[in-house]
Amino acid sequence: MDNTNEIFKHRFKECEGDQLTLLISEKDQKAYLPYLYSDIQEIYKEKTDLYHNLQQVVEDIYIIPLEKFKNSFFSRFRETYNLMRYKEKTSLFEAFDFSLELMFKYDLNPIIISACKNLDELNLYLTCLENNNLNKFNCFKIIFEIMPKKE
């Protein structure tokens, strides 16, 4: 395994600073979403009755089992709807309409939608994806940790 991924996972455990990398790990069966340290601190301060430390915030919100994204078709809809409705505060109609549109975008990984902080990040990713130029997407780094194939 790549040493970079071990360092990345260690940083998640330590909650040190900003984590601007999305790691999708088949080995761990988890997605480690990017976050800003200031966001974790804010959530922790707002919900001290729910969380005892910063690590609990990270584990609860920013580390997601891949099982949640098993059905990509519905996951794209759900993640887009949640982004639009709860992060962007759009109307029910706008959220539903855009979710339906992205639901059929088979080359879009729903975990990436979940990792986007806002609609601007998602639109930038969609533009880069459409232009086949993902190296221009600079909101966060994306790492896929894929298990080796058995032969």
Side-chain angles (χ1 to χ4, degrees), residues 6-18:
E6 285 303 317
I7 293 168
F8 176 81
K9 289 176 192 173
H10 175 72
R11 285 200 59 211
F12 254 101
K13 289 182 180 134
E14 298 299 320
C15 296
E16 299 169 350
D18 295 342

Side-chain angles (χ1 to χ4, degrees), residues 8-55:
F8 176 81
K9 289 176 192 173
H10 175 72
R11 285 200 59 211
F12 254 101
K13 289 182 180 134
E14 298 299 320
C15 296
E16 299 169 350
D18 295 342
Q19 185 54 259
L20 300 177
T21 301
L22 166 62
L23 173 63
I24 302 169
S25 174
E26 282 185 1
K27 179 183 175 223
D28 297 344
Q29 285 296 297
K30 294 179 184 175
Y32 301 86
L33 303 180
Y35 61 80
L36 297 175
Y37 186 68
S38 59
D39 291 343
I40 292 173
Q41 288 178 313
E42 187 176 317
I43 293 167
Y44 177 68
K45 286 177 186 174
E46 289 175 5
K47 299 182 180 184
T48 54
D49 56 322
L50 185 59
Y51 300 113
H52 299 293
N53 56 46
L54 297 176
Q55 181 59 33

Side-chain angles (χ1 to χ4, degrees), residues 26-27 145-151:
E26 282 185 1
K27 179 183 175 223
E145 182 180 63
I146 299 171
M147 295 295 289
K149 289 186 179 183
K150 294 181 181 177
E151 293 189 35

